Amino acid sequence: MAATLAGLLLYAGLCLSSASLSPRRCRKPVPLLPSVEEHWFDQKLDHFNGAESRAWKQRFFINDTFYDGGPVFLMIGGEGPANPAWMVSGTWLTYAEKLKALCLMLEHRFYGKSHPTEDIQTANLRYLSSKQALADLAHFQTVMTQKLELNDSKWVVFGGSYPGSLATWYRLKYPHLVHAAVATSAPVYALINFIEYLEVVQTSLADYNPECPKAVKTASDTLVKMLKNKENYAAITKDFRLCEMLQINSEMDSAYVLETLAGNFMDVVQYNSDNRAFEGVKGTNITIQVLCDIMTDSTFGTPYNRYAAVVHLMLEALEMKCMDTSYKKYVQEMTNTTWQGTAADGGRQWVYQTCTEFGFFQSTDSLNQPFSGFPLSYFVQQCSDIYGSEFNFTNIISAVQQTNEMYGGFNIQSGRIIFPNGCVDPWHALGIIEDLSDELISVYIKGTAHCANMYPARAEDPPQLVAARLYIFSLLEKWLN
Ligand SMILES: *[C@@H]1O[C@H](CO)[C@@H](O)[C@H](O)[C@H]1NC(C)=O
Ligand SMILES: *[C@@H]1O[C@H](CO)[C@@H](O)[C@H](O)[C@H]1NC(C)=O
Ligand SMILES: *[C@@H]1O[C@H](CO)[C@@H](O)[C@H](O)[C@H]1NC(C)=O
Ligand SMILES: *[C@@H]1O[C@H](CO)[C@@H](O)[C@H](O)[C@H]1NC(C)=O
Ligand SMILES: *[C@@H]1O[C@H](CO)[C@@H](O)[C@H](O)[C@H]1NC(C)=O
């Protein structure tokens, strides 16, 4: 996938790793900081089968610089390699300094260097689930408590995006272990057809300039029409700098092209102005403003030409030569079951989790959004194409329902959880954006995107973001006293 505009939407260890909640839009691999020491934990393969004794090595990191008898902070890893950049900066460390906390980060099973099985063939991925990941956390915490003699310490978990959901569910399912949770940009409700995602993208673009989503709609409608006629393929290939000559042999092929192009906008909106550069992410200066200024500027030509100009800009920002829009190549990469394959970066594993637990498919099935051509059926078909025909609509629907039965969806029966969310971030649509009680607190931040509060503070942070970080700290301080 070296050449896709891969975007790390919820497949990026969400916030903490180098991928975030998006399947194939994987950007170039983020350079991980090598200087932080890696530690390895003997973890069980299957927590729910007493007759299964196989074990594997799970990676974790420690920062004890500030520890002086305070609480233990545990950063939960997500759907990508755990990025050690978080062990040396990030807002949680400023909280740790004030509270004299010990900081740990546990990588999620099947991501990064945490390999429970010898490969990632579909049969082995049955050990990949949020439920197993929560049990990993519980076993890790129990053993570390003994080993480091942390018997009297209160544990606080942190997570952003999918790990934010895990933080919520860890507090919910293991209340005897964890005292409080900060669940940033956490989708707590599993949903197969996540049409709200693109609705928020539309709103976030329109908030900057109402003409922007209109131009996007004109451009994507034009493309849909053009894709129906083979005579246009050479022009589209050239205009959008595709890596190979466009070929459309099925609805899946055209849906993949349209989704990849929409992905530029989805990524930029999701991470708009987030301080991700410290993690090594490129192109963070491309914002909603930059894209919309192009989409509404007729000197770039028609809306179709402007849509292409956005691709050129993104390619330059990400230092990539061309756009990969071949569904066939995507499926080929996603069905590579070795740990060396490009999709083992997290794409194959995360899409498996969406097909077996969450859905979260960001389809164009709503009328209130500007893109066209990638309906729910396209995502469901991907599950079958990549993992096998039993990963079909009926089974996905039932799996998603089971996830909500297990965790309660929006009905969270717990306490001492903070839910920060950004208004600009499409994921807030599946998150908690109003207080549920005086111990289930929403911190809904105007004008910010995915996980903004977790990144290191900057001088240009808006005052509401500064205030949100302080408010989160004041709640933790209160709950730990
Ligand atoms: C822990 O974090 C602090 C604050 O960023 C940093 O100065 C220190 O080097 C880190 N310690 C370790 C052991 O990584
Ligand atoms: C902590 O708990 C472990 C196991 O329950 C026990 O062996 C150990 O003595 C305890 N340590 C302290 C300092 O209380
Ligand atoms: C973004 O930054 C890159 C590299 O620093 C620069 O080449 C590019 O012009 C910038 N783009 C915008 C739109 O600011
Ligand atoms: C899987 O990916 C690896 C690394 O890129 C490659 O060497 C191998 O040939 C691929 N396997 C298949 C079956 O494509
Ligand atoms: C989905 O797959 C299951 C096998 O897991 C099969 O029994 C069922 O008939 C399939 N449903 C459809 C609609 O194809």
Side-chain angles (χ1 to χ4, degrees):
M1 297 193 219
T4 52
L5 283 191
L8 320 186
L9 290 190
L10 257 204
Y11 118 56
L14 308 178
C15 303
L16 318 177
S17 19
S18 54
S20 201
L21 300 199
S22 150
R24 85 169 171 290
R25 286 187 285 274
C26 15
R27 293 180 193 270
K28 288 188 165 177
V30 170
L32 303 178
L33 298 189
S35 59
V36 181
E37 192 186 346
E38 296 177 332
H39 300 267
W40 301 93
F41 179 75
D42 287 315
Q43 188 59 273
K44 295 179 191 176
L45 176 63
D46 186 354
H47 297 279
F48 306 103
N49 176 2
E52 170 63 80
S53 61
R54 279 178 289 172
W56 55 284
K57 301 276 185 203
Q58 186 166 20
R59 184 164 65 149
F60 69 101
F61 299 94
I62 304 178
N63 184 335
D64 61 2
T65 300
F66 304 124
Y67 185 56
D68 188 12
V72 180
F73 282 6
L74 175 58
M75 181 66 89
I76 302 175
E79 73 285 21
N83 191 336
W86 290 93
M87 299 313 294
V88 290
S89 67
T91 295
W92 74 308
L93 291 176
T94 66
Y95 300 161
E97 182 170 17
K98 292 189 184 128
L99 297 172
K100 305 184 191 316
L102 175 65
C103 293
L104 304 173
M105 174 163 72
L106 182 65
E107 188 165 69
H108 194 293
R109 58 167 57 205
F110 284 97
Y111 295 96
K113 295 184 181 174
S114 296
H115 299 174
T117 51
E118 65 179 341
D119 62 26
I120 46 175
Q121 60 174 287
T122 305
N124 283 336
L125 292 179
R126 70 179 182 277
Y127 300 111
L128 169 58
S129 66
S130 58
K131 198 172 136 188
Q132 294 280 6
L134 295 175
D136 286 343
L137 291 166
H139 188 50
F140 175 74
Q141 176 171 343
T142 304
V143 172
M144 292 305 277
T145 296
Q146 283 187 10
K147 208 173 145 187
L148 303 179
E149 298 203 5
L150 298 167
N151 302 27
D152 298 327
S153 304
K154 287 177 174 149
W155 287 60
V156 178
V157 288
F158 294 80
S161 203
Y162 163 55
S165 315
L166 292 174
T168 305
W169 299 333
Y170 191 47
R171 171 81 186 112
L172 180 72
K173 294 294 189 186
Y174 295 87
H176 53 291
L177 293 179
V178 62
H179 188 74
V182 183
T184 297
S185 301
V188 297
Y189 181 71
L191 181 65
I192 185 166
N193 199 0
F194 184 17
I195 61 169
E196 294 83 355
Y197 186 99
L198 293 178
E199 293 178 348
V200 180
V201 170
Q202 163 152 300
T203 307
S204 295
L205 297 175
D207 279 350
Y208 173 66
N209 181 347
E211 295 308 313
C212 180
K214 286 184 196 161
V216 171
K217 181 160 173 43
T218 307
S220 55
D221 287 347
T222 304
L223 251 174
V224 169
K225 276 192 208 118
M226 289 177 69
L227 287 173
K228 296 200 167 110
N229 186 346
K230 287 203 167 6
E231 282 170 17
N232 297 319
Y233 292 1
I236 295 173
T237 303
K238 185 161 163 283
D239 294 340
F240 288 89
R241 301 197 183 150
L242 306 189
C243 296
E244 46 195 87
M245 177 65 182
L246 183 62
Q247 282 187 357
I248 305 288
N249 299 314
S250 68
E251 299 261 305
M252 296 303 283
D253 289 341
S254 67
Y256 186 78
V257 174
L258 293 162
E259 192 215 356
T260 304
L261 296 176
N264 294 331
F265 287 81
M266 292 156 74
D267 275 11
V268 167
V269 169
Q270 179 170 317
Y271 291 110
N272 189 52
S273 299
D274 272 356
N275 184 14
R276 290 194 303 156
F278 93 102
E279 282 189 290
V281 176
K282 295 215 172 88
T284 55
N285 60 346
I286 310 298
T287 58
I288 291 174
Q289 187 171 346
V290 173
L291 294 196
C292 283
D293 285 353
I294 294 176
M295 285 312 297
T296 53
D297 183 349
S298 58
T299 62
F300 286 97
T302 64
Y304 166 89
N305 300 129
R306 301 173 210 166
Y307 209 51
V310 164
V311 168
H312 305 165
L313 181 87
M314 295 296 288
L315 287 171
E316 273 147 36
L318 300 176
E319 295 171 20
M320 292 163 73
K321 288 204 172 64
C322 60
M323 282 268 283
D324 225 327
T325 54
S326 158
Y327 181 67
K328 196 174 151 208
K329 192 169 165 200
Y330 167 64
V331 171
Q332 234 164 41
E333 283 174 348
M334 290 291 280
T335 47
N336 188 318
T337 59
T338 70
W339 285 112
Q340 289 72 43
T342 39
D345 209 28
R348 175 168 166 82
Q349 299 94 310
W350 176 247
V351 173
Y352 177 85
Q353 288 198 262
T354 63
C355 297
T356 53
E357 295 191 78
F358 308 120
F360 291 158
F361 300 131
Q362 298 146 25
S363 81
T364 49
D365 292 345
S366 164
L367 293 176
N368 298 316
Q369 57 77 37
F371 304 97
S372 323
F374 45 103
L376 176 61
S377 56
Y378 155 73
F379 294 95
V380 171
Q381 184 62 44
Q382 268 186 47
C383 295
S384 303
D385 289 351
I386 297 169
Y387 308 103
S389 61
E390 66 275 31
F391 295 80
N392 61 29
F393 182 76
T394 317
N395 287 338
I396 300 169
I397 284 274
S398 134
V400 166
Q401 185 185 328
Q402 205 206 344
T403 299
N404 291 324
E405 284 171 11
M406 185 160 55
Y407 301 124
F410 289 117
N411 180 7
I412 295 166
Q413 296 297 318
S414 183
R416 291 194 298 262
I417 308 178
I418 306 167
F419 298 98
N421 273 287
C423 296
V424 174
D425 175 17
W427 289 99
H428 80 239
L430 298 179
I432 302 297
I433 54 169
E434 280 175 15
D435 290 357
L436 299 180
S437 74
D438 57 11
E439 285 207 326
L440 294 172
I441 308 288
S442 156
V443 182
Y444 192 37
I445 315 166
K446 271 206 178 130
T448 67
H450 205 53
C451 304
N453 53 290
M454 296 179 72
Y455 294 102
R458 279 182 301 195
E460 64 265 39
D461 288 336
Q464 63 275 21
L465 176 55
V466 176
R469 291 196 180 108
L470 290 171
Y471 180 41
I472 293 164
F473 179 73
S474 71
L475 291 167
L476 288 180
E477 206 178 21
K478 183 169 91 180
W479 291 342
L480 286 164
N481 269 332

